Amino acid sequence: MKKIDIIAGARPNFMKIGPVVHAIHRYNESATEQITYRLIHTGQHYDKKMSEDFFDQLNIPKPHINLGVGSGTQATQTANIMMRYEEAVKADKPELCLVVGDVTSTMACAIVAKKEHVKVAHIEGGIRSGDENMPEEINRMVTDSITDFFFTTSNVANENLKALGHAEGKVFFVGNTMIDSLLGNLDRLQKPALVDENNLSEKSFLVMTLHRPSNVDGMESLRQLLEIINSNVGDKKVIFPMHPRTKKMYDQLGMNYENLIITGPMSYLEFIYLIKNALGVITDSGGITEEATVLGVPCMTLRNSTERPETVTIGTNEIVGTNPENILPLLEKLIAGNWKKGGIPELWDGKTADRIIDIIGKL
Ligand code: UD1
């Protein structure tokens, strides 16, 4: 397939599509038949710090089209993306629509493409948390149900797709494009100003991110989580770059926590610097558990499930849940530097995007 749409909408998409765009340019240098692409930003994330800064730091070209959908309820966002992407497909039909991850933009564009008889490829297809309360799980299920070509990150994903009845010939185990971005940028990391401002030495701090609706949309659940962490980190500090959704609720809490260093969304190169140099990571994200695994940094996931089990079975991640009684013993272990050592999952080697583009070139 030589004419593709690449879809990106929200922050965790950008580090996954960057390597793919770069791989297309490399492929075209020696290919007899060029792959042409349109980079389509849905506008699901629109703040400079949640979007544009990632394009700049990861040298991703400006999107050809920005659908500019902005925020809204799940249905509003989905509907707006679908209506606007449908126009873009009708105006110039690709042969393949390449979606990544599990955000609303992923599902919405996959549906539009499929109904316009455009083949759908899903990078990071096949992963499942089993928790249908998360919008991302619905997005994964719907997207995969209409995907023609799966590019998978793990053997677990391959098995999931097999169990769902997808033919093996549609499934390509290629590795993880987010890890391409990670490994490709390790020598470009930037120390955020707050490290020196707070006199933080290596391993004297933790990094925390929380943005799942179940953790941050209720004032009581957020207060409880922040209190237990703030009170049990000993002499360590916790750097907490807040997602806008978390910030809204945090501002309503009106609390001050002496061990938390609160800041806004971080740029990619600064955030990875923090993870790499942290004693440990506390998160409810999925992608960050993969980055912590590859960097060998201890990671506690404040959720009850994960769609990335290899970060636990192979990597440095532990699923801790959100119950304070479960968090406390693991937090103590982490602060004591008493964490398990991890390995790196198969094919998370920085070459995934080239594998994907080689396959697409032959489809
Ligand atoms: C989305 C993804 C989630 C991913 C997360 C990472 C879905 C269902 N969820 O969640 O999987 O882990 O991105 O960031 O797609 N907002 C801003 N500026 C922005 C974007 C959002 O202020 O640039 C605020 C808005 O008030 C918005 C809220 O954040 O209502 C939530 O944004 P939304 O895109 O709905 O979902 P996320 O929680 O960011």
Side-chain angles (χ1 to χ4, degrees):
M1 305 230 172
K2 297 294 183 291
K3 186 176 175 190
I4 65 182
D5 278 356
I6 301 173
I7 309 296
R11 183 172 58 178
N13 289 162
F14 307 138
M15 51 292 247
K16 295 173 191 167
I17 58 114
V20 173
V21 170
H22 297 140
I24 292 177
H25 290 278
R26 279 195 293 275
Y27 176 94
N28 283 345
E29 278 169 19
S30 57
T32 41
E33 215 189 325
Q34 306 274 293
I35 292 178
T36 59
Y37 72 92
R38 286 194 303 189
L39 182 52
I40 300 193
H41 192 322
T42 64
Q44 177 177 344
H45 284 175
Y46 45 86
D47 283 356
K48 186 170 179 296
K49 288 196 154 178
M50 301 282 286
S51 175
E52 202 182 317
D53 286 358
F54 285 78
F55 280 74
D56 290 346
Q57 288 201 335
L58 296 171
N59 297 317
I60 308 171
K62 219 169 125 46
H64 299 90
I65 298 177
N66 191 320
L67 303 177
V69 296
S71 299
T73 65
Q74 294 284 319
T76 308
Q77 224 172 29
T78 306
N80 281 331
I81 296 167
M82 287 181 69
M83 289 192 296
R84 295 180 197 186
Y85 182 50
E86 187 183 52
E87 280 176 27
V89 172
K90 283 190 185 300
D92 189 6
K93 196 165 166 169
E95 290 175 276
L96 183 73
C97 173
L98 187 62
V99 297
V100 292
D102 55 17
V103 301
T104 301
S105 304
T106 309
M107 175 189 73
C109 291
I111 296 173
V112 169
K114 190 72 178 179
K115 290 196 170 188
E116 287 294 316
H117 311 294
V118 173
K119 297 278 186 211
V120 175
H122 185 196
I123 294 184
E124 205 188 272
I127 64 175
R128 294 289 185 278
S129 68
D131 179 357
E132 292 181 15
N133 288 316
M134 289 173 62
E136 293 82 0
E137 185 75 352
I138 314 293
N139 295 340
R140 292 180 197 116
M141 292 161 70
V142 173
T143 304
D144 284 348
S145 71
I146 53 174
T147 288
D148 297 285
F149 308 108
F150 299 92
F151 293 112
T152 63
T153 51
S154 71
N155 274 313
V156 180
N158 302 340
E159 291 302 318
N160 289 342
L161 291 168
K162 202 167 154 190
L164 286 164
H166 293 288
E168 267 180 42
K170 292 165 61 180
V171 180
F172 302 95
F173 177 31
V174 288
N176 193 326
T177 61
M178 202 182 68
I179 301 306
D180 289 8
S181 274
L182 177 71
L183 297 178
N185 285 290
L186 281 181
D187 57 0
R188 300 178 59 228
L189 301 183
Q190 296 173 358
K191 191 203 285 189
L194 60 76
V195 172
D196 289 339
E197 281 163 15
N198 290 280
N199 290 319
L200 299 174
S201 55
E202 213 178 294
K203 311 285 174 205
S204 72
F205 61 90
L206 307 178
V207 181
M208 176 161 76
T209 77
L210 296 173
H211 74 282
R212 296 278 158 222
S214 56
N215 283 337
V216 307
D217 279 3
M219 205 183 281
E220 194 43 35
S221 50
L222 181 62
R223 194 188 58 75
Q224 223 184 34
L225 284 177
L226 296 188
E227 258 182 41
I228 183 157
I229 287 157
N230 181 60
S231 319
N232 293 286
V233 288
D235 60 352
K236 309 291 186 230
K237 296 286 177 208
V238 182
I239 302 176
F240 185 14
M242 273 194 203
H243 184 285
R245 150 180 239 128
T246 315
K247 174 91 170 53
K248 258 187 232 164
M249 190 49 74
Y250 181 78
D251 287 346
Q252 286 179 41
L253 266 184
M255 298 287 292
N256 246 327
Y257 297 101
E258 70 275 17
N259 290 324
L260 306 188
I261 299 170
I262 311 261
T263 177
M266 285 260 156
S267 74
Y268 181 76
L269 297 175
E270 288 183 319
F271 187 70
I272 300 295
Y273 176 96
L274 291 180
I275 300 197
K276 186 166 182 284
N277 291 291
L279 176 65
V281 174
I282 303 174
T283 189
D284 61 5
S285 152
I288 293 171
T289 68
E290 300 183 335
E291 290 163 339
T293 282
V294 170
L295 294 171
V297 174
C299 181
M300 284 173 57
T301 292
L302 303 191
R303 282 172 49 190
N304 296 313
S305 61
T306 178
E307 58 289 338
R308 296 161 161 91
E310 63 281 356
T311 62
V312 178
T313 54
I314 301 172
T316 52
N317 186 25
E318 293 284 9
I319 303 299
V320 182
T322 52
N323 182 338
E325 280 165 33
N326 299 340
I327 297 176
L328 199 52
L330 278 141
L331 187 55
E332 280 168 359
K333 235 173 126 173
L334 193 137
I335 297 292
N338 203 4
W339 205 257
K340 67 177 175 182
K341 298 275 173 284
I344 296 182
E346 194 180 345
L347 295 183
W348 292 17
D349 59 0
K351 297 174 185 151
T352 296
D354 285 319
R355 286 184 201 110
I356 291 173
I357 294 307
D358 277 347
I359 294 166
I360 288 178
K362 290 180 193 137
L363 284 176

